Amino acid sequence: MARTRLVIDTDPGVDDAVAILLALASDELDVLALTSVAGNVSIDKTTLNARRLVDLAGRDVVVARGCAAPLTNELDEAGDVHGLDGLGDIEWPDPVTPESGEHAVDLLARLIDEGPLTIAAIGPLTNLAVLQARYPGIESRVERLVIMGGASFAGNVTAAAEFNIWTDPEAAARVFAGPWPITLMPLDLTHQATLHDDDLAYLRALDTEVGRRTAAILEPYAAYHDQWYGNRDVIMHDAMAIYELIAPDAIEKQGAHVVVETGGTHTRGATVIDRRRGYASSSTRVGVSLDNGAFVAVLRERLARYR
Ligand code: BDR
Ligand code: CA
């Protein structure tokens, strides 16, 4: 079986961390690099967290720093969700994994030149917008772009907008306007993917560094969810981009046309997802539903592979 050459473009981020650990435990994927972007926390912190996670996984994966700010607006961090450090504010050893000297955007361009490349974009789309501006036409040479972002029915930063798109709407608008082969995992899908207290207990009981740390960083995330949604479901937004790549039939998808609102009095950062039949065969696919029990079983089994 050919392994999928993958770069994860990320702003870790508690759920990014789970997605990254899932990917790094999965034989189906050849994770070549983590490219950082400013999002949940600053670029210094997301880059540091990416290095921490590669160390935690015990893998040899390049970490390259990407864009420090959205294209036009200021960064508005999500420390209330992910902790001020982006990873639940627990103690971490100094990372051994170095930061690459190559900028994330140039690294992506080089890896696309070297062979079929899939990108899982689980943060704001700033790096990808800069990539397509700096290397015109490169979008159509990417094998696949799986994005976690957007929402059809309700946002999570505003009533209209989801965090990754809202953080850099201009970047997202440019990416969705380009010929990328996009599969989108919006909130309507990701809110179906949840962990519960018994899963956190399972992770602790693994009695491994990965198990303990994953449970510890998810704990404040569960508390935040309780505050906003009235239960401790831990929503696995970013892991959906990885699950799609390791279990291609697990998430039901449909064709759609997606544009991003960059103006709007109350709707800046909204994704307008047109699911009418005329777009059924669109190359842009949107995740619709999944079996959470099957997902959790895969996640448990993969995270148990770390010793
Ligand atoms: C997205 O926003 C971030 O806070 C999460 O890491 C995820 O990528 C969910 O809206
Ligand atoms: Ca993220």
Side-chain angles (χ1 to χ4, degrees):
M1 177 194 66
R3 299 170 79 206
T4 300
R5 293 176 77 243
L6 178 67
V7 171
I8 305 176
D9 191 61
T10 177
D11 62 336
V14 168
D15 62 320
D16 302 71
V18 176
I20 289 164
L21 292 169
L22 174 61
L24 294 180
S26 295
D27 302 329
E28 298 87 346
L29 306 177
D30 181 10
V31 182
L32 302 175
L34 306 184
T35 50
S36 63
V37 65
N40 287 319
V41 285
S42 70
I43 191 68
D44 285 343
K45 292 177 183 172
T46 59
T47 308
L48 175 65
N49 290 343
R51 295 168 58 211
R52 287 169 166 169
L53 292 164
V54 171
D55 274 14
L56 176 62
R59 299 291 194 273
D60 187 11
V61 175
V62 173
V63 173
R65 175 182 292 246
C67 297
L71 296 183
T72 62
N73 49 267
E74 304 250 305
L75 178 67
D76 191 4
E77 301 182 17
D80 51 339
V81 186
H82 297 268
L84 293 177
D85 78 339
L87 283 183
D89 293 324
I90 64 171
E91 290 292 315
W92 291 84
D94 286 340
V96 173
T97 299
E99 182 180 325
S100 165
E102 196 171 11
H103 190 277
V105 168
D106 299 318
L107 172 69
L108 280 162
R110 182 168 61 77
L111 292 173
I112 291 164
D113 278 349
E114 287 174 6
L117 189 76
T118 293
I119 301 171
I122 57 176
L125 296 172
T126 319
N127 287 341
L128 300 187
V130 173
L131 176 69
Q132 74 183 58
R134 196 178 288 176
Y135 297 91
I138 202 161
E139 312 91 288
S140 50
R141 293 197 285 118
V142 169
E143 176 143 286
R144 200 166 172 211
L145 170 60
V146 185
I147 296 172
M148 187 282 129
S152 275
F153 308 117
N156 59 1
V157 182
T158 69
E162 178 278 333
F163 180 82
N164 288 339
I165 306 299
W166 176 83
T167 295
D168 195 345
E170 279 71 23
R174 291 178 202 183
V175 168
F176 280 98
W180 300 85
I182 292 177
T183 302
L184 178 67
M185 301 299 166
L187 293 181
D188 334 309
L189 182 274
T190 63
H191 275 249
Q192 300 168 40
T194 53
L195 300 182
H196 303 280
D197 284 330
D198 61 320
D199 301 307
L200 271 55
Y202 169 87
L203 290 169
R204 285 187 206 98
L206 289 174
D207 201 21
T208 61
E209 199 61 9
V210 165
R212 273 188 296 275
R213 284 191 180 274
T214 306
I217 65 174
L218 288 173
E219 190 50 53
Y221 202 60
Y224 175 87
H225 198 273
D226 198 11
Q227 185 191 338
W228 276 86
Y229 297 94
N231 61 62
R232 283 173 49 83
D233 287 358
V234 186
I235 305 174
M236 293 287 92
H237 301 289
D238 290 341
M240 290 303 98
I242 304 302
Y243 188 43
E244 165 68 8
L245 295 172
I246 61 182
D249 298 326
I251 298 174
E252 189 195 331
K253 295 164 286 291
Q254 68 177 164
H257 179 68
V258 181
V259 291
V260 175
E261 176 66 271
T262 53
T265 306
H266 303 291
T267 54
R268 179 168 160 78
T271 43
V272 180
I273 304 179
D274 192 340
R275 302 166 186 263
R276 288 175 296 166
R277 284 177 66 127
Y279 293 114
S281 57
S282 167
S283 62
T284 299
R285 314 301 294 172
V286 176
V288 175
S289 63
L290 85 155
D291 173 348
N292 189 49
F295 162 66
V296 172
V298 169
L299 183 66
R300 282 187 177 209
E301 184 272 322
R302 298 293 163 107
L303 295 190
R305 293 181 181 184
Y306 292 104
R307 288 286 131 216

